[in-house]
Amino acid sequence: MNSMSPKERWLASIKMQPVDRLVYWPKLDAAYPQNQKPPFRDWNNEQLHAWMGTDPRYGVAKIYKEIHHRAQKEIHNDGHTQRIVYNTPVGVTEQILKFDPPSVSWHPVEFPIRNQETLKIMIAYYGDLEVDLDREGLEKARQTYQEVGDKGIVGTPIGESPLMHFVEWLAGIENAHYFLNDYQEDVEELFAAAHRVLVRATEIMVEYSPADLLTMVENTSTTLISPAQYRRYSYHHIMDYARISRAAGRNMELHMCGHLKRLLPMLADMPVEAFEAFTSPTVGNTYLLDGRQACPNVCLIGGTNAALWLRPLDEIIATIERSLDELPHHRGIILTSGGVQPPACPPEKIKAVADWLKTYPLRM
């Protein structure tokens, strides 16, 4: 095939079409450059991708804004601690996050739902919440999209479906399951209110966002929720978002970075274009072949795991080669680090894998 641009290669892969070579996207985050030796330490991620010969992915922000009527959300941030205060007619609760410099990210240390009283406060908050198009944000997104051009694909998050958002951000893993058992009706009322908001957000993003790929940031894993819980809650919610996207002819992906093997029969039903962060053992539990056999018409973005990238170069290449050799074909395969690329894996090693991949004989 003629040489393709990174954007063309990405889009063809997402549509399960032939490509000139596999897309290879090491997922570099803000923490990666600062942990490298010179000159890489002084480069940004775009410069690193250019040097390594990999296929970058760019992002634009959401283009919807939150509208409150009787409730209010206040964010207090001193750079180290972030307090999010939810003030509603039935009470006040707050969430606390701490900044982690090594990973350049925020982590929850106190959740807004701690008992039945705070659960009802968050029901009131979501019941009051609406979203609408952010025209200023839309203009910025359009400008960024034009600046990226054909250098790579542009993605954007929509949000996270209610169950996983509840587990990760609102109640915490342990309490989320206690509350689902003890206050099931209240939790399901919360889910219904949050789902209503996310459906409207999806409609706005599908209609207006310039991004090539719309992401549901699910972080799904059967280490956090059970297949039965996924079937009861996540499946139906995500189907609603996916159908909105598919009806509009947009590309949607599900970001699922955990254990997925027991969910594959349900995931096969999803009218989405891609599963992202499809992570192999030992961090995840699904190989590319598992995904291709269960979901033959979905692009798989992943194929490796963070632990693999800490192994010697020849072992990394041999492992990737085996996983590619056993596939029936290579359409709809985008190789990534699974989760974020470990900073302990230097750019030289990533470049060597990229150089090898360009020689791998594809079967289209």
Side-chain angles (χ1 to χ4, degrees):
M1 295 181 62
N2 294 329
S3 180
M4 307 172 80
S5 71
K7 182 187 286 287
E8 290 172 333
R9 193 174 296 119
W10 266 97
L11 290 174
S13 297
I14 288 167
K15 292 296 187 181
M16 301 289 294
Q17 296 169 353
V19 291
D20 58 343
R21 63 170 176 81
L22 285 186
V23 173
Y24 173 35
W25 173 43
K27 297 171 66 173
L28 310 183
D29 66 355
Y32 188 83
Q34 69 184 26
N35 286 283
Q36 306 308 314
K37 64 184 181 181
F40 307 118
R41 182 182 302 160
D42 302 318
W43 293 2
N44 60 35
N45 286 343
E46 184 175 72
Q47 291 170 311
L48 285 166
H49 278 293
W51 183 84
M52 295 184 297
T54 51
D55 299 283
R57 173 168 165 163
Y58 297 82
V60 292
K62 303 172 185 175
I63 47 101
Y64 62 84
K65 58 186 176 182
E66 296 182 347
I67 299 173
H68 306 277
H69 300 285
R70 296 182 300 157
Q72 186 178 11
K73 180 169 73 174
E74 301 173 1
I75 301 177
H76 307 276
N77 190 336
D78 64 7
H80 304 286
T81 301
Q82 184 175 142
R83 291 177 59 244
I84 304 176
V85 181
Y86 300 92
N87 194 325
T88 78
V90 300
V92 180
T93 187
E94 70 176 26
Q95 179 180 24
I96 298 178
L97 301 95
K98 293 287 188 180
F99 187 73
D100 178 60
S103 64
V104 195
S105 60
W106 292 92
H107 298 272
V109 296
E110 185 172 329
F111 297 94
I113 297 177
R114 298 178 294 279
N115 48 42
Q116 190 174 23
E117 178 185 357
T118 50
L119 173 55
K120 290 184 179 295
I121 291 172
M122 292 308 295
I123 292 171
Y125 174 79
Y126 278 101
D128 178 77
L129 180 61
E130 294 182 7
V131 292
D132 199 3
L133 177 64
D134 179 355
R135 296 193 178 278
E136 182 178 342
L138 173 60
E139 187 55 38
K140 290 179 180 177
R142 286 172 172 167
Q143 182 178 346
T144 299
Y145 186 83
Q146 291 299 321
E147 291 171 354
V148 171
D150 64 357
K151 293 185 294 185
I153 200 170
V154 177
T156 190
I158 294 179
E160 184 175 26
S161 63
L163 172 60
M164 282 305 304
H165 189 68
F166 181 66
V167 169
E168 289 195 288
W169 297 101
L170 298 183
I173 299 169
E174 187 173 8
N175 278 340
H177 292 288
Y178 286 142
F179 297 156
L180 269 168
N181 182 72
D182 296 343
Y183 314 123
Q184 180 178 326
E185 290 185 4
D186 289 336
V187 172
E188 290 180 351
E189 185 179 355
L190 173 70
F191 287 177
H195 179 59
R196 172 189 58 81
V197 174
L198 198 50
V199 164
R200 179 59 186 143
T202 302
E203 291 170 345
I204 293 169
M205 295 290 286
V206 162
E207 182 174 357
Y208 293 102
S209 178
D212 302 302
L213 191 56
L214 308 175
T215 305
M216 300 306 303
V217 190
E218 293 299 295
N219 298 330
T220 308
S221 178
T222 53
T223 59
L224 302 176
I225 61 173
S226 70
Q229 289 171 324
Y230 190 89
R231 168 64 75 181
R232 180 165 184 162
Y233 300 112
S234 301
Y235 177 87
H236 300 288
H237 290 152
I238 296 169
M239 285 293 282
D240 286 345
Y241 317 136
R243 286 170 178 148
I244 293 169
S245 176
R246 179 62 62 87
R250 301 300 303 267
N251 299 317
M252 177 174 280
E253 70 173 359
L254 306 182
H255 170 82
M256 304 180 291
C257 48
H259 287 213
L260 303 179
K261 196 164 188 176
R262 294 174 65 194
L263 303 179
L264 287 176
M266 285 180 276
L267 294 176
D269 295 339
M270 296 290 184
V272 300
E273 280 60 50
F275 301 149
E276 192 271 319
F278 202 80
T279 306
S280 63
T282 55
V283 178
N285 73 340
T286 43
Y287 293 101
L288 289 175
L289 183 60
D290 296 323
R292 183 51 70 232
Q293 289 176 334
C295 309
N297 300 314
V298 179
C299 174
L300 304 175
I301 306 175
T304 71
N305 68 87
L308 175 64
W309 294 93
L310 305 180
R311 307 298 300 168
L313 176 61
D314 58 350
E315 186 175 333
I316 295 172
I317 290 176
T319 301
I320 294 172
E321 186 171 24
R322 283 195 301 271
S323 71
L324 295 177
D325 285 350
E326 64 186 8
L327 292 171
H329 60 80
H330 298 114
R331 297 188 304 279
I333 298 295
I334 293 176
L335 189 75
T336 81
S337 45
V340 170
Q341 187 78 38
C345 178
E348 294 93 340
K349 185 182 288 187
I350 298 173
K351 184 179 187 304
V353 174
D355 291 341
W356 170 79
L357 269 174
K358 290 168 186 174
T359 69
Y360 181 82
L362 297 180
R363 288 173 277 111
M364 290 292 159

